Amino acid sequence: MRKIHGGTGAAERAGEKAPLLLRLAAGMALLGIAMLFAMILAFALPAFLQPGPGGAFGWFWRPYQGEFGILPMLAGSLLLSCSALLLAWPLALAVCCWTLSAAPGLLRTGTRAGIRFMTAIPTVVYGFAAVFLLTPLIRAGLGGAGRCWLAASLMLSLLVLPTMALILEAGLKPRLDRLCLGGQALGLSKLEILWFLVLPQSRKTMLAALLLGFGRAAGDTLLPLMLAGNAPQLPGALTESLRTLTAHMALVTANEVGGAAYNSLFTAGALLLIINAVVSLLARRLAGRPGNLPGEQM
Amino acid sequence: MTEGPEAPENIPEPEAVQLPGSVHLQDLSVNFGRHQALKNITAAFSPKGISVLVGRSGSGKTTLLRSINRLNEEFDACATSGQVYADFGQGLIPLYDNPDLFLPDLRLRAGMLFQNPNLFPVSVYRNLALPLQLAAGFPKAELPDRIRQALTSVGLWKELENRLDLPAERLSGGQQQRLCLARTLALEPRILLLDEPTASLDVHAAKEIEDLLLQLAGRYTVIMVSHSLAQAGRLGSRILVCEEGRLSATLDAGADFSEEMLARLL
């Protein structure tokens, strides 16, 4: 075929080379992930294959008595993530709905900028601020040590809030924009359009935000490490201490360099990896689909 | 618009109010940022028959239409000056800077139809029921009757009587546009603002909509934007030519407005 455009030789050459480089880069990334999975699972396999007293799947972590159960930490991770989401998800949805529909101009711009800024705040800053500001309040108001499930949960919800709000906004805004002018011409307000038409259509976006928020909450190490108290136990109340899988791994790797305790960490790592991989895949699958599928019709 | 709310009785009676008609534009200018879309337009629209706005793309036709239901205000950096008066059955009232006028009410009484059928991604029934319930505030018990009447008025009742739960997006283009018209009519407007309502339809569907509009023209003040001079000639009892944000010519039905003549004016 005759070329219509001239002078594109360099671009074309780059275009020919780019896929090879891209394939190589993608292959290396995939290989890295596969090796990571393979290594963690291979080390964790003995614990999965030989469950029993003293193994990883026990309810007690007493290294000096030969018990290396990580189930309290698994429960701690799940409890902390879920409780943080219980607060953060409705808040993220409310903030998103408000900025999209009802917020006056300057306040809307300010809130959006604030949410974006929050994503850039290092986790340690949240943790540090909470140690000095939040934990004394909890200690004074509710008793206990202050470093507890509640403190970690509150700060973790603040950490995952912007992630979820941004995912929600990215999913809801295009749908709202599409329906807005027509709806307003019929006398509906933006909030009514959002509430009655956009949200019922966006269940997958809302679920994706929830799952990605969960992944971020379950994967965070520093906040539970600094704020949750880290007692390897099942907490009976919000003011009690708990230990998450991530904090447990950080604590044990800081103190051990081998042995049964160290080996049980691979089980913890494998569990964390599996939980996060499943959640992430589910969320991306949901977020990647168009919202207006026939199944989402009302 | 002028700064701050002003009591309606303090607004001076405009010259255009003396003219017969139910929509009056008084020295109306609309800016979007630095771009002036409408420039000091004064005009009156008759309550009977169809007034058709024609003009090149970007001449301000749609902006003029949207200034009547104040939809321009939903766009960033929109600034309007001048005044629009409309008669919704109780005499002419100012639409801008009128603290007694509730914006959703205005949009119910000045219904709009867009170029592309802008149905909600819900069922046929819910498309009609939602605005009736939320914007017009009709009780739920009245909805089935009102929906039947609205669908009957656009000739869709027999086609959709047993398929009201069908997703509205599955209807054909012509049916979708008729459903949009039914949704607007159900809200009992006095003025119909039509923005190229047949532009996205095939010839047969466009003919159906045109026939409907001719039937409705006696009951509503109809102001329509059309890109088709032939259509303007067929439907218009009055044709207004827009050019660079101004009205450059107005032709009444009595005059001989042939397509060639309109083309010359454009």
Side-chain angles (χ1 to χ4, degrees):
Chain A
M1 192 190 283
R2 196 168 70 90
K3 272 191 181 176
I4 297 170
H5 302 291
T8 55
E12 272 177 17
R13 278 198 301 280
E16 278 164 20
K17 278 182 187 171
L20 183 68
L21 279 173
L22 282 178
R23 275 202 297 273
L24 198 67
M28 281 175 70
L30 275 175
L31 189 70
I33 292 168
M35 283 169 68
L36 181 77
F37 265 88
M39 189 201 77
I40 300 263
L41 288 175
F43 278 100
L45 204 59
F48 282 105
L49 292 177
Q50 296 170 333
F57 294 102
W59 283 102
F60 297 101
W61 176 265
R62 296 170 188 144
Y64 297 111
Q65 293 162 32
E67 290 186 83
F68 301 100
I70 56 161
L71 288 183
M73 279 63 99
L74 179 63
S77 276
L78 295 176
L79 283 174
L80 184 60
S81 308
C82 291
S83 61
L85 288 181
L86 216 58
L87 182 67
W89 186 79
L91 206 59
L93 191 61
V95 167
C96 181
C97 288
W98 183 70
T99 53
L100 283 178
S101 64
L106 205 61
L107 218 52
R108 180 179 60 221
T109 317
T111 311
R112 278 187 182 159
I115 294 276
R116 277 177 172 76
F117 175 69
M118 278 171 79
T119 58
I121 298 175
T123 319
V124 70
V125 175
Y126 282 117
F128 198 65
V131 165
F132 287 98
L133 298 172
L134 182 65
T135 53
L137 270 180
I138 292 175
R139 194 160 49 236
L142 301 169
R147 296 188 184 194
C148 59
W149 179 6
L150 180 65
S153 182
L154 287 175
M155 292 316 288
L156 206 55
S157 62
L158 206 61
L159 182 79
V160 299
L161 175 80
T163 309
M164 292 201 286
L166 290 176
I167 293 166
L168 285 169
E169 191 185 292
L172 301 183
K173 194 172 181 300
R175 293 192 186 112
L176 180 66
D177 288 347
R178 207 171 58 229
L179 299 174
C180 212
L181 206 59
Q184 284 174 320
L186 288 163
L188 300 175
S189 69
K190 262 189 175 181
L191 192 61
E192 285 170 333
I193 298 166
L194 196 63
W195 188 258
F196 290 99
L197 293 163
V198 176
L199 289 186
Q201 245 207 318
S202 309
R203 279 168 293 203
K204 283 178 180 168
T205 301
M206 292 193 281
L207 191 60
L210 186 75
L211 287 172
L212 282 174
F214 180 85
R216 179 114 166 78
D220 189 69
T221 309
L222 214 51
L223 284 181
L225 188 67
M226 291 174 83
L227 300 171
N230 297 314
Q233 61 174 20
L234 258 183
L238 279 168
T239 49
E240 287 184 17
S241 171
L242 63 72
R243 186 189 286 194
T244 62
L245 283 173
T246 48
H248 178 67
M249 289 169 74
L251 285 167
V252 177
T253 43
N255 297 317
E256 309 273 341
V257 285
Y262 198 69
N263 289 338
S264 80
L265 290 189
F266 285 104
T267 320
L271 284 174
L272 205 60
L273 205 59
I274 290 166
I275 290 172
N276 270 349
V278 169
V279 164
S280 178
L281 284 174
L282 270 177
R284 273 167 216 291
R285 197 174 153 82
L286 288 173
R289 282 182 182 172
N292 49 353
L293 294 171
E296 285 206 314
Q297 292 275 2
M298 291 171 72
Chain B
M1 211 45 357
T2 49
E3 292 300 316
E6 197 180 339
E9 58 269 26
N10 295 336
I11 295 168
E13 283 285 300
E15 227 175 273
V17 174
Q18 309 305 323
L19 298 168
S22 58
V23 177
H24 295 265
L25 313 180
Q26 179 73 29
D27 202 20
L28 183 75
S29 296
V30 178
N31 284 57
F32 293 102
R34 296 169 74 179
H35 170 67
Q36 191 170 21
L38 292 185
K39 297 168 187 166
N40 308 96
I41 290 184
T42 296
F45 293 93
S46 158
K48 299 284 178 212
I50 301 177
S51 303
V52 185
L53 294 163
V54 294
R56 292 171 189 275
S57 296
S59 60
K61 307 184 295 287
T62 296
T63 305
L64 195 155
L65 210 60
R66 287 178 180 174
S67 68
I68 297 168
N69 64 353
R70 289 178 51 184
L71 208 58
N72 288 324
E73 291 169 32
E74 305 303 339
F75 294 90
D76 287 337
C78 169
T80 309
S81 67
Q83 186 57 278
V84 177
Y85 296 84
D87 181 2
F88 297 114
Q90 281 118 19
L92 288 170
I93 56 162
L95 304 186
Y96 288 86
D97 296 329
N98 180 352
D100 295 332
L101 184 72
F102 187 47
L103 198 54
D105 279 349
L106 165 67
R107 290 173 182 170
L108 292 181
R109 288 183 267 171
M112 185 169 230
L113 202 60
F114 291 80
Q115 180 175 346
N116 293 307
N118 59 341
L119 290 167
F120 300 140
V122 290
S123 68
V124 170
Y125 186 88
R126 235 167 122 64
N127 256 286
L128 291 151
L130 264 177
L132 276 171
Q133 221 177 337
L134 297 175
F138 288 116
K140 218 171 176 177
E142 282 184 28
L143 298 185
D145 265 355
R146 289 184 178 275
I147 286 169
R148 183 175 48 76
Q149 280 169 24
L151 288 174
T152 307
S153 69
V154 298
L156 268 181
W157 178 247
K158 280 187 181 162
E159 292 168 52
L160 297 178
E161 189 179 0
N162 300 315
R163 295 191 296 158
L164 292 176
D165 57 349
L166 188 77
E169 286 167 341
R170 294 213 194 140
L171 300 178
S172 71
Q175 284 177 319
Q176 286 192 19
Q177 195 62 312
R178 278 193 285 159
L179 182 58
C180 285
L181 188 56
R183 191 172 61 175
T184 302
L185 295 179
L187 298 169
E188 299 177 346
R190 299 290 292 227
I191 298 168
L192 284 180
L193 308 169
L194 315 172
D195 192 359
E196 302 193 24
T198 60
S200 64
L201 305 179
D202 63 51
V203 183
H204 296 293
K207 175 81 171 56
E208 283 176 353
I209 297 284
E210 282 186 10
D211 291 344
L212 261 172
L213 295 180
L214 284 170
Q215 286 171 33
L216 296 172
R219 284 183 277 153
Y220 302 91
T221 300
V222 183
I223 306 171
M224 173 176 166
V225 168
S226 179
H227 67 289
S228 155
L229 297 180
Q231 185 182 55
R234 276 197 303 276
L235 300 183
S237 54
R238 197 157 177 248
I239 295 179
L240 300 99
V241 182
C242 291
E243 200 178 333
E244 292 178 356
R246 299 180 199 278
L247 288 179
S248 62
T250 305
L251 304 168
D252 282 312
D256 173 30
F257 45 62
S258 64
E259 216 175 305
E260 292 76 26
M261 185 184 171
L262 283 171
R264 269 204 307 280
L265 282 171
L266 287 175

